[in-house]
Amino acid sequence: MARAYSNKINKIRTFALSLVFVGFFIMYLGIFFRQSIIAMTIFMLLGLLSVLASTAVYFWIGMLSTRAVQVICPACQKPTKILGRVDMCMHCREPLTLDKQLEGKEFNEDYNRKTAKKS
């Protein structure tokens, strides 16, 4: 099965959004423990922590996004941001790189690691 690659910024934003929904779900579970104030409070606080964590992740990716290199995708001609040595276009999922040594090579997210596998 082929791996579905996507833009790093979008992956992190999706993770932050999922933290919001997980937090609401945990808080909703707390409603079932209305008889036990302590259990309900624990569920509500865990849900709140999840929502606060998502806020922190959104802030972090927003700050990271301001430093990302913005390029015009050669395939769709739309502006997109690149994090790391290789990334995907946010719009058309075209593999992008600014590293001349990686041009023409098959896309692999391992190129972003400091100890990239040698092919």
Side-chain angles (χ1 to χ4, degrees), residues 11-85:
K11 280 183 185 177
I12 297 170
R13 286 179 181 159
T14 301
F15 172 71
L17 182 62
S18 66
L19 277 177
V20 171
F21 287 116
V22 166
F24 286 147
F25 181 73
I26 291 171
M27 285 189 229
Y28 183 73
L29 289 177
I31 292 174
F32 294 112
F33 294 96
R34 280 182 280 189
Q35 303 304 320
S36 171
I37 299 296
I38 293 172
M40 184 178 82
T41 304
I42 289 172
F43 275 98
M44 293 296 172
L45 287 177
L46 287 175
L48 179 66
L49 285 176
S50 179
V51 172
L52 290 176
S54 78
T55 304
V57 171
Y58 270 122
F59 178 77
W60 172 67
I61 194 59
M63 297 308 291
L64 196 61
S65 179
T66 60
R67 293 184 295 156
V69 178
Q70 189 168 1
V71 298
I72 303 295
C73 176
C76 66
Q77 303 300 316
K78 294 181 182 176
T80 188
K81 293 184 178 182
I82 296 179
L83 287 178
R85 292 175 69 195

Side-chain angles (χ1 to χ4, degrees), residues 88-100:
M88 293 291 218
C89 175
M90 290 180 176
H91 309 286
C92 67
R93 293 189 173 186
E94 175 77 17
L96 301 171
T97 184
L98 295 175
D99 192 345
K100 298 289 183 193

